[in-house]
Amino acid sequence: MARSTTPDAPLARFAPTDRLWRLPGVYAPQHDTRLLAAALRHEGSLSGLDVLDIGTGSGALALYAAHLGARVTALDVSRRAVWSTRFNAWRAGLPVDVHRGRIEDLAGRRFDLILSNPPYVPAPHRRPPTRGAARAWDAGVDGRHVLDQLGRAAPALLGPHGVFLLVHSALSGADATLDMLEAAGLRAKVADRELIPYGPVLRSRLGWLRARGLVGPDETMEELVVIRAEHI
């Protein structure tokens, strides 16, 4: 998971711009971003819809939704992410309303579609970091610190028949996410899956993950899942 101030490689598969700029410590679009972008594309026309991107990072998904015609609000707790997204939106000429804050700050608003690529990697620390690059991926010992917060707050932000698209690692428990969203009154399913080789973060803590029984001794691939939940 490299971080730099240099532009990313071409991202035409999912972003309206050729290259995205980001400050150090801002999450670089990767497999999970592309997988969620594909799910967003499968929703069809976004023209005129109100879309919320939670944990926008460099703004890749927010820009893509705006490119597809949505009115987009992007949210992140990181100042650097907010600055990066605002710059990328300005450069792309796309109207994205970018805010620094938490999902609770949007109480009372309603969106037609919410998407999020949150921190989800299990880490050997009970609470996730509050600063530094690892804040973009470390999410407590079960990887669910942010996922559970989203499950509690996001359903209330969905309008009638609104859709919530969420990507995370199967290591964090896809069934737990489905059960959480169903309990909140949403109809939820795994919309897509993809196996990818372990990246540097998982490789750096394989011993700990194996000791906890989260990965087998010979496993080398991580499964990503996209959860689609609909307000019914």
Side-chain angles (χ1 to χ4, degrees), residues 111-134:
F111 297 89
D112 301 301
L113 190 148
I114 298 174
L115 62 152
S116 184
N117 179 7
Y120 56 70
V121 179
H125 318 286
R126 193 175 68 85
R127 297 191 62 83
T130 58
R131 63 181 62 190

Side-chain angles (χ1 to χ4, degrees), residues 106-206:
L106 299 176
R109 294 188 61 181
R110 295 292 182 270
F111 297 89
D112 301 301
L113 190 148
I114 298 174
L115 62 152
S116 184
N117 179 7
Y120 56 70
V121 179
H125 318 286
R126 193 175 68 85
R127 297 191 62 83
T130 58
R131 63 181 62 190
R135 182 167 62 169
W137 57 81
D138 279 357
V141 291
D142 58 1
R144 298 200 57 85
H145 184 81
V146 179
L147 288 170
D148 289 339
Q149 292 178 8
L150 289 174
R152 290 190 295 268
L157 298 177
L158 284 176
H161 308 292
V163 171
F164 183 25
L165 296 174
L166 175 67
V167 64
H168 68 80
S169 172
L171 295 176
S172 309
D175 288 342
T177 300
L178 293 173
D179 291 344
M180 173 180 63
L181 295 173
E182 292 276 358
L186 306 183
R187 181 171 53 210
K189 66 177 183 179
V190 174
D192 203 357
R193 302 175 184 268
E194 183 177 358
L195 284 173
I196 64 169
Y198 290 156
V201 172
L202 287 187
R203 290 198 302 268
S204 71
R205 61 188 62 162
L206 267 179

